[in-house]
Amino acid sequence: MKKFAVGILTAMVGGTMLVSGAGVASASTAARPHTKLYIKDVSPNPVLVKEGAETTAHFNVLASRNVERVELSVAPAGVRTLAAKDVKGLEGWRFSAAFNENDPQGKWRATAVAFDRDGKRIATDSAYFYVKQVKSKDDTRISRFYASPGKVRKGKSITFTGRLEARDGRDWDGVRNERVNIYYKAFGSSTWKWVATDRTSWGGKFYAKTRAYKSGSFRAVFSGDRRLEDTKSRTDYVRVYTWHRH
């Protein structure tokens, strides 16, 4: 008789907080001697779910030869089930389940149940994994970046201005109190070097200065944070000359 896998994913309301860094924990109980059932792997763990997207988790179950059927259920740990939806049974004793932003984040439990050819339950095993909801970040841009003056004598100051903005629907709004770094690439070089930093003020504006040393290009860089994507400005070239006495 061909062996097959059956799965049920139970979905809840609520859930526990995420415990970072924990792996799969498994505990097996067998009702008959020589019967083995083991949830070998849950991947990925944690299951990272981005806003507006789905992430598929895979469950790999090992079973002894006398096991004819395996059922897998998946549910948040320590909360009461309210509804059920299918877990997909794959080849062998493998399962998959899709998680989205409606699934609670935190600790989840996968439970495997083995049956013999008479339909009798002969072994169970469980394993814990974690679901984490990851909020999408807002797009950003640096507008109106200028390095001025465009031509300057060596040793004099170069000033940098610009505006850090984040997308709000169809509009771009200035972002306050974020660090913007200024980088410089000398003419003929391929290396960008840090030269100055400023924090944005109201409206996302920033202002920084450095000394002119050699002709080259400048750009502003925002490294991003937990809510904003990183971005960099256009490049602006400054020609640096040396004063010659006659």
Side-chain angles (χ1 to χ4, degrees):
M1 183 182 294
K2 186 177 179 181
K3 293 181 171 62
F4 61 95
V6 177
I8 299 173
L9 173 64
T10 52
M12 326 292 178
V13 174
T16 57
M17 294 302 293
L18 176 70
V19 181
S20 14
V24 173
S26 182
S28 181
T29 61
R32 292 188 182 179
H34 312 300
T35 298
K36 294 181 179 179
L37 184 70
Y38 177 60
I39 300 177
K40 180 182 178 182
D41 182 55
V42 180
S43 180
N45 185 20
V47 181
L48 301 180
V49 182
K50 293 184 178 180
E51 190 175 7
E54 279 191 347
T55 300
T56 299
H58 291 87
F59 305 83
N60 187 16
V61 181
L62 301 181
S64 54
R65 291 185 177 181
N66 62 324
V67 173
E68 195 68 21
R69 188 174 92 248
V70 173
E71 292 182 358
L72 183 77
S73 61
V74 181
V79 295
R80 186 168 59 89
T81 64
L82 297 180
K85 56 183 177 181
D86 289 340
V87 167
K88 186 177 181 181
L90 306 177
E91 182 181 356
W93 306 128
R94 295 190 302 117
F95 303 83
S96 68
F99 292 82
N100 58 43
E101 60 188 11
N102 296 318
D103 294 310
Q105 79 167 5
K107 187 177 181 180
W108 285 62
R109 178 176 179 172
T111 302
V113 181
F115 298 86
D116 65 10
R117 65 177 60 192
D118 297 322
K120 294 181 179 180
R121 176 173 173 163
I122 56 176
T124 63
D125 188 42
S126 62
Y128 293 95
F129 64 100
Y130 298 86
V131 174
K132 183 177 181 180
Q133 298 287 346
V134 181
K135 291 185 177 180
S136 59
K137 296 182 180 182
D138 293 335
D139 290 333
T140 60
R141 70 180 184 185
I142 294 175
S143 65
R144 291 175 275 179
F145 174 72
Y146 296 101
S148 58
K151 180 180 178 182
V152 63
R153 190 171 68 176
K154 183 177 180 179
K156 295 295 185 179
S157 293
I158 302 173
T159 60
F160 310 101
T161 56
R163 186 170 186 251
L164 175 64
E165 301 171 330
R167 184 186 291 277
D168 182 13
R170 296 183 178 181
D171 299 324
W172 290 90
D173 295 334
V175 182
R176 181 175 178 265
N177 199 33
E178 295 287 353
R179 183 185 298 271
V180 175
N181 294 303
I182 310 298
Y183 288 86
Y184 160 72
K185 183 174 72 173
F187 177 76
S189 173
S190 60
T191 303
W192 288 93
K193 297 182 179 181
W194 173 90
V195 293
T197 296
D198 189 33
R199 282 197 173 272
T200 56
S201 60
W202 287 106
K205 295 180 181 179
F206 60 87
Y207 174 89
K209 295 175 68 173
T210 192
R211 293 286 182 184
Y213 171 70
K214 183 180 179 181
S215 298
S217 299
F218 295 88
R219 71 183 180 194
V221 176
F222 171 60
S223 298
D225 56 25
R226 61 182 178 81
R227 63 187 182 90
L228 299 172
E229 294 284 0
D230 61 317
T231 189
K232 59 187 177 183
S233 71
R234 70 179 186 92
T235 60
D236 201 8
Y237 186 83
V238 175
R239 179 175 169 237
V240 178
Y241 65 91
T242 303
W243 182 267
H244 294 284
R245 289 188 175 182
H246 297 283

